[in-house]
């Protein structure tokens, strides 16, 4: 009987791997393990789903070096599961470990998809509005828990618009320490007033301390961030409303 159960798990797992692999632009490796058996499938239950992937690419420019994800027990559509597709009847909690390389991050930052998501922002400085329009940003991961950003924005102040280049070094928030912006320097555009720099540093601190981010209808809670030389490791908790299928992967 255990062998039969394992065959059912293998069938569902292999079908899930096939369906997701078909919709990724590229993938080096993906392994999906559906923890269930025939009786639980008929009852619409599974003990959980684990995903381990390497070199996953979507939208041509969005790449994840490594991802490991595990859900808790889930309620599934038994009819769909029998035909190799996992559909959730209820949202399920999951925890994930995601590794991004420095090259992955810069490739994504230069993509049309991420550029379209980047928003301009305004700051109030001494009762006046100063606007920033992001044009370019690069990220470097030198190690020692630091993230270095080099970028260029259009600064709109008192009716005038001018380019501004900058470099910034920050330490992201972890489970043991708050976020810190160690330095901010202007490299192009003649610099800024102390008041504007202070306002920018305060805004950056707010961004770095955001405990979660949203994508589509999912909320990702950042539990920990670790910066190593050349890579960024995220520990994330989320609630999954649906296992990726051919339709929603294609719409990413």
């Amino acid at each position: 009987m255990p062998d039969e159960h394992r065959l059912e798990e293998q069938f569902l797992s292999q079908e899930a791997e096939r369906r997701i692999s078909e919709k990724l632009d590229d993938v080096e490796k993906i392994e999906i393990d559906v923890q269930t058996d025939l009786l639980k499938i008929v009852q619409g239950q599974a003990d959980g789903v684990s995903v381990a992937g390497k070199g996953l690419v979507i939208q041509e420019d969005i790449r994840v070096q490594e991802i490991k994800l595990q859900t808790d027990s889930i309620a599934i559509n038994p009819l769909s599961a029998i035909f190799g597709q996992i559909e959730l009847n209820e949202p399920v909690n999951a925890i994930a470990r995601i590794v991004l390389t420095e090259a992955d991050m810069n490739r994504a930052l230069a993509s049309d998809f991420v550029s379209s998501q980047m928003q301009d922002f305004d700051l109030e400085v001494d009762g006046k509005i100063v606007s920033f329009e992001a044009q370019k940003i690069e990220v470097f991961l030198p190690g020692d828990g630091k993230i270095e950003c080099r970028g260029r924005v259009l600064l709109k102040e008192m009716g005038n618009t001018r380019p501004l280049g900058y470099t910034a070094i920050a330490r992201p928030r972890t489970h043991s320490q708050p976020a810190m912006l160690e330095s901010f320097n202007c490299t192009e555009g003649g610099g800024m007033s102390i008041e504007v720099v202070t306002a920018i540093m305060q805004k950056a601190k707010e961004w770095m301390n955001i405990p979660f981010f949203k994508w589509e209808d999912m909320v990702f809670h950042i539990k920990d961030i670790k910066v190593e030389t050349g890579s960024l490791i995220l520990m994330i908790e989320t609630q999954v409303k649906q296992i990726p299928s051919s339709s929603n992967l294609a719409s990413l």
Side-chain angles (χ1 to χ4, degrees), residues 15-158:
E15 277 298 298
E17 290 173 11
R18 182 184 65 81
R19 289 172 181 271
I20 292 180
S21 295
E22 286 177 350
K23 296 304 174 181
L24 292 168
D25 290 334
D26 192 16
V27 57
E28 294 178 24
K29 181 179 179 181
I30 186 166
E31 295 179 352
I32 299 176
D33 182 20
V34 182
Q35 297 122 34
T36 189
D37 57 45
L38 182 57
L39 179 59
K40 290 176 181 176
I41 291 174
V42 173
Q43 295 174 337
Q45 299 174 356
D47 294 327
V49 176
S50 62
V51 178
K54 183 177 181 181
L56 280 64
V57 180
I58 59 173
Q59 288 288 327
E60 297 185 356
D61 291 314
I62 311 300
R63 182 182 184 277
V64 174
Q65 172 65 20
E66 183 181 333
I67 181 170
K68 292 184 179 180
L69 178 145
Q70 176 67 53
T71 75
D72 56 16
S73 60
I74 61 178
I76 58 176
N77 182 322
L79 183 60
S80 297
I82 290 173
F83 289 97
Q85 184 170 348
I86 305 170
E87 294 183 358
L88 301 182
N89 287 336
E90 298 176 1
V92 60
N93 296 319
I95 185 167
R97 179 182 185 271
I98 299 174
V99 180
L100 300 170
T101 67
E102 183 180 288
D104 291 338
M105 297 174 70
N106 286 315
R107 178 177 173 179
L109 288 169
S111 70
D112 293 337
F113 174 75
V114 172
S115 296
S116 67
Q117 304 300 311
M118 295 178 67
Q119 297 181 349
D120 303 340
F121 66 96
D122 298 333
L123 295 177
E124 183 174 349
V125 181
D126 292 338
K128 298 178 181 178
I129 299 298
V130 180
S131 300
F132 297 84
E133 179 183 329
Q135 290 194 310
K136 179 182 179 182
I137 182 171
E138 290 182 287
V139 171
F140 301 89
L141 305 173
D144 193 28
K146 297 180 180 181
I147 299 176
E148 180 180 350
C149 296
R150 302 175 192 172
R152 189 173 186 269
V153 299
L154 287 181
L155 174 63
K156 303 176 183 179
E157 183 180 17
M158 299 179 64

